[in-house]
Amino acid sequence: MKFIAGISSATALFCLLAWTDPEAARAFVPSTTTKTSSSSSSVASSSSFGLARRRGHQRRSTSLDAEAIKITMPALSSTMKEGRVVTWLKSEGDAIEAGEAIMVVESDKADMDVEAFEDGYLAKILTREGETAEVGSVVALVAALEGDIASIAEGGGDDAAPPAAAIVAEAGPAAGVGAPDVEFSQLDMPALSSTMKEGKVVSWLKSEGDAVGAGEAIMVVESDKADMDVEAFEDGFIAAIITGEGEAAAVGSPVALIASNEADIPALKAYAATLAGGGGGGGGGAAPAPVSALASPVVAAKAPPKATAAPAASAGGRVVASPLAKTMAADMGIDISTVVGTGPDGRITAADVQNAALSPAAPAAAKKGAAAAPKVPSWTPAAGVIAATPTARALAKKAKLDLSTIVGTGEFGRVTADDVKMATGEIKPKKKSVALGAPAPVELPEGLVPFTGMQRAVSNNMEKTLDCPVFRASREIEMDAFNELYQQVKPKGVTVSALLAKAVAKALEKHPIVNSSYRKEGTFFNKDINIAMAVAIDGGLITPVLKNANERGVLDLGEDWKGLVDKAKAGTLKPDEYNSGTFTISNMGMFGISQFDAILPSGQGGILAVAGTQEYIVPCKQAVLGMKKISKMTVTLTCDHRQIYGADAALFLKTFSEIMMSPKSLV
């Protein structure tokens, strides 16, 4: 029994029994625990080991000592003490990836997405939607393995980290020289992941003395996960850089000071030297500042009480509003500084902007906003730095996209997750919001709409024409005489369609080859001239047929055509009334079309496309000024080239033109 190094014989025997027979192990405990205190200690630990091994054997998917990854309420601004969970973007049990947004938090500045810094599974949500948690307190637990979800959820976060307020109570007063009696904020090294202990400043995007705006990226920090931009949460001026480029600083330690007033920069530079241990630009060796100093900017004088009915604005004139409220105000043309906020501490919400838009003072506010809109701050990233959110970087890496090729739509041109998704085609580009007073957007149809029976029939007929070799010929025809005739017979109920059908039928009498159809054995000549005319109806297209049009008068054709159109619209045409045509006319002149080609129907030899009438000025010797105005129409004949040739089409169009220019024979 001495073969196990460092373990007594009794302990080894107990381990073996605990693994193979727990009952025998429990019987063995009394005889081994009476020796010495050291033996008792060994047996107890061995018993725990044996039971742990047995449990691990029963649940292979669970690690022996599952450790939860804690998600804490982040400090989204330098003045934030607590945050409210607006919504969870993931549910318990869902898989999450590093860089993926998992919840939306409302701070005293804005609503922001909070991203995961570890891959895993959301085991338990401790702070529900609508609930508030202090900065630093645990809001959720993440399991590294799916099998650990149940065990971590049962633990319930009893070992949750104390909130920031508790840390403040334990922290002593700041050492060294006291802060100057000026208004400033302290920029600390942020925790960019749950495992980050320190961060290295890759690049400062601003220099000492430069003005910065809230939300503007001011430095790039390298953590143990990725390089990320760090933004300013206050307007002001970079007074002193404590941690220079290439230097590291512990999480929570000051890296820069931001002055509210430009005149306070010298005093803050002297104070920064004491924080950095001498030298305003160096260091990362300074001890981290107390959390109480990190939580809010140092203010020399007490702020006056806020007026409840006045528009909300922070120091320096910056308006405190939610991102949605700012977007809506910009789209509606409303000066947001004139809106009264009803949110926490006078924060402007989207509902406040909507109420302001409906108020009588809205047009004046919009006019003021348009006239005195503040200049949008601009920022250009340092060389080699691509402005993008962490989620956008993760998505681009997964999709193998070059971020530099994606146009950013975020603040300061930053590439957002939606920009990457639009680049991959995962989502469609967002439509811009409608400004106040603009016409409402038109709801366009989207998605697949199945064909009706008629539409399917038209589609099948069009596909059949693909096997037919065709050619086209066009001709311009003077229409003055035809228009004059039409005005004479129009009161009698004769339509343009009836006159066109009669003219085409008379031309086909002289050129029967154009009225023929193709057969494998040869050319099939039709003894009847039946003119089919395309009619657009609701949900499709149909071609009622005027039979024996060459033998009938225009009055008879006009009356017959009126009845056929009524039947077509009512859907009561008989098959013989729409599938017996030998030649087809497609007239789009009433739509103002100047010229078009028609598709040859299956089983026919020709189709004539009739365009609209156009007015032209042409020379005329008989006219007073040597010019006159005439009307012309372009017609295009499509023919089956297997039995009809180009000369046949040209001769038919010549005859048709002569009939149209001398139309008295039609009546």
Side-chain angles (χ1 to χ4, degrees):
M1 300 293 290
K2 298 278 187 176
F3 59 90
I4 303 178
I7 303 179
S8 66
S9 300
T11 303
L13 178 59
F14 181 84
C15 291
L16 181 60
L17 287 172
W19 179 260
T20 59
D21 191 350
E23 297 299 329
R26 282 194 286 273
F28 180 71
V29 171
S31 63
T32 58
T33 56
T34 58
K35 294 198 174 184
T36 63
S37 60
S38 62
S39 296
S40 177
S41 175
S42 299
V43 172
S45 63
S46 299
S47 177
S48 299
F49 170 75
L51 293 175
R53 286 295 301 267
R54 189 166 181 82
R55 285 194 297 268
H57 180 72
Q58 291 174 348
R59 290 201 321 211
R60 295 179 183 273
S61 62
T62 305
S63 60
L64 294 179
D65 53 348
E67 183 177 353
I69 302 170
K70 302 183 183 82
I71 299 177
T72 59
M73 177 61 69
L76 301 179
S77 75
S78 60
T79 59
M80 177 176 168
K81 301 293 180 61
E82 64 180 12
R84 184 174 72 91
V85 178
V86 177
T87 181
W88 281 97
L89 305 178
K90 292 288 183 178
S91 303
E92 292 181 350
D94 289 352
I96 60 177
E97 297 180 357
E100 184 178 13
I102 56 175
M103 66 174 174
V104 179
V105 171
E106 180 188 73
S107 71
D108 59 341
K109 302 295 182 185
D111 295 348
M112 297 186 183
D113 292 347
V114 176
E115 302 168 351
F117 292 100
E118 304 281 349
D119 294 339
Y121 299 86
L122 187 57
K124 187 166 186 178
I125 295 174
L126 303 177
T127 304
R128 299 290 173 179
E129 293 182 357
E131 295 179 351
T132 301
E134 294 184 14
V135 170
S137 60
V138 179
V139 296
L141 300 177
V142 175
L145 302 175
E146 189 173 9
D148 295 338
I149 294 176
S151 59
I152 289 176
E154 289 171 4
D158 296 334
D159 56 346
I167 301 174
V168 173
E170 297 172 5
V177 180
D181 189 19
V182 297
E183 186 177 347
F184 71 96
S185 58
Q186 184 170 287
L187 180 64
D188 307 310
M189 178 61 69
L192 301 179
S193 76
S194 59
T195 59
M196 178 176 168
K197 305 298 183 191
E198 66 174 14
K200 186 179 76 171
V201 178
V202 177
S203 173
W204 280 98
L205 307 177
K206 292 288 184 178
S207 303
E208 291 184 349
D210 288 351
V212 296
E216 186 175 5
I218 56 177
M219 67 174 175
V220 180
V221 171
E222 179 188 81
S223 71
D224 57 344
K225 302 294 181 184
D227 294 352
M228 297 186 186
D229 295 348
V230 176
E231 302 174 350
F233 290 102
E234 300 286 343
D235 296 336
F237 301 87
I238 300 290
I241 294 176
I242 300 172
T243 304
E245 293 184 356
E247 296 177 348
V251 170
S253 61
V255 295
L257 300 179
I258 300 178
S260 296
N261 300 313
E262 190 173 8
D264 298 331
I265 292 178
L268 290 173
K269 274 193 175 183
Y271 175 57
T274 65
L275 296 177
V291 179
S292 58
L294 308 181
S296 62
V298 182
V299 182
K302 211 180 240 185
K306 293 181 180 179
T308 56
S314 65
R318 189 173 68 83
V319 175
V320 180
S322 69
L324 179 58
K326 292 181 179 180
T327 302
M328 290 179 61
D331 292 341
M332 294 180 177
I334 295 176
D335 183 4
I336 199 168
S337 64
T338 64
V339 179
V340 178
T342 60
D345 296 328
R347 186 166 177 262
I348 298 173
T349 65
D352 297 331
V353 177
Q354 290 177 339
N355 293 335
L358 297 175
S359 67
K367 186 176 180 181
K368 177 183 176 183
K375 184 179 179 181
V376 177
S378 60
W379 167 69
T380 303
V385 177
I386 299 175
T389 64
T391 305
R393 293 181 187 276
L395 291 174
K397 183 178 180 181
K398 188 175 181 180
K400 297 181 180 179
L401 290 177
D402 184 1
L403 275 174
S404 62
T405 63
I406 301 175
V407 178
T409 61
E411 194 168 13
F412 308 111
R414 171 173 293 190
V415 178
T416 64
D418 284 349
D419 296 331
V420 178
K421 290 179 180 179
M422 283 188 282
T424 60
E426 184 177 346
I427 63 175
K428 295 180 180 179
K430 295 180 180 178
K431 294 182 179 180
K432 293 184 178 180
S433 302
V434 179
L436 185 65
V442 178
E443 290 293 333
L444 298 176
E446 183 178 8
L448 178 66
V449 178
F451 276 152
T452 63
M454 178 177 292
Q455 291 171 332
R456 174 61 61 190
V458 172
S459 175
N460 292 336
N461 289 336
M462 295 302 102
E463 289 179 356
K464 291 178 182 178
T465 66
L466 298 177
D467 296 330
C468 178
V470 299
F471 73 94
R472 300 172 180 86
S474 298
R475 185 182 179 103
E476 286 186 345
I477 300 173
E478 290 189 19
M479 295 293 292
D480 293 317
F482 181 87
N483 290 338
E484 185 178 348
L485 175 66
Y486 171 65
Q487 294 301 323
Q488 295 174 3
V489 298
K490 182 179 178 181
K492 300 178 182 179
V494 178
T495 63
V496 172
S497 297
L499 289 173
L500 285 174
K502 181 66 174 180
V504 168
K506 291 183 70 65
L508 289 174
E509 281 182 329
K510 297 183 178 181
H511 306 279
I513 186 65
V514 182
N515 192 49
S516 67
S517 59
Y518 168 80
R519 299 287 189 275
K520 289 184 178 180
E521 299 79 9
T523 302
F524 183 84
F525 286 92
N526 296 293
K527 66 175 182 177
D528 296 327
I529 298 178
N530 300 334
I531 306 299
M533 303 192 72
V535 175
I537 60 176
D538 187 20
L541 177 72
I542 199 166
T543 54
V545 178
L546 289 171
K547 297 179 181 180
N548 303 312
N550 59 317
E551 300 174 357
R552 300 162 63 186
V554 291
L555 295 178
D556 184 21
L557 291 174
E559 185 177 350
D560 190 11
W561 179 246
K562 184 178 181 299
L564 290 171
V565 171
D566 291 341
K567 286 184 178 181
K569 292 180 178 179
T572 58
L573 283 174
K574 297 177 182 179
D576 185 59
E577 292 176 325
Y578 62 80
N579 62 12
S580 57
T582 60
F583 187 91
T584 300
I585 297 174
S586 179
N587 181 13
M588 294 182 68
M590 70 288 290
F591 300 115
I593 302 300
S594 58
Q595 191 273 332
F596 72 103
D597 300 334
I599 297 177
L600 180 66
S602 177
Q604 295 184 15
I607 181 172
L608 186 68
V610 179
T613 300
Q614 307 290 325
E615 292 185 345
Y616 296 88
I617 301 297
V618 296
C620 179
K621 294 180 179 179
Q622 289 77 21
V624 176
L625 299 177
M627 306 287 286
K628 73 173 182 176
K629 181 174 69 174
I630 63 172
S631 297
K632 286 186 178 182
M633 175 184 74
T634 300
V635 295
T636 301
L637 178 66
T638 301
C639 296
D640 187 338
H641 210 341
R642 291 174 294 186
Q643 86 274 13
I644 302 173
Y645 304 141
D648 299 325
L651 292 173
F652 168 81
L653 289 176
K654 181 176 181 295
T655 301
F656 177 69
S657 176
E658 292 171 349
I659 294 172
M660 295 290 288
M661 294 174 66
S662 301
K664 291 183 180 181
S665 61
L666 299 178
V667 293

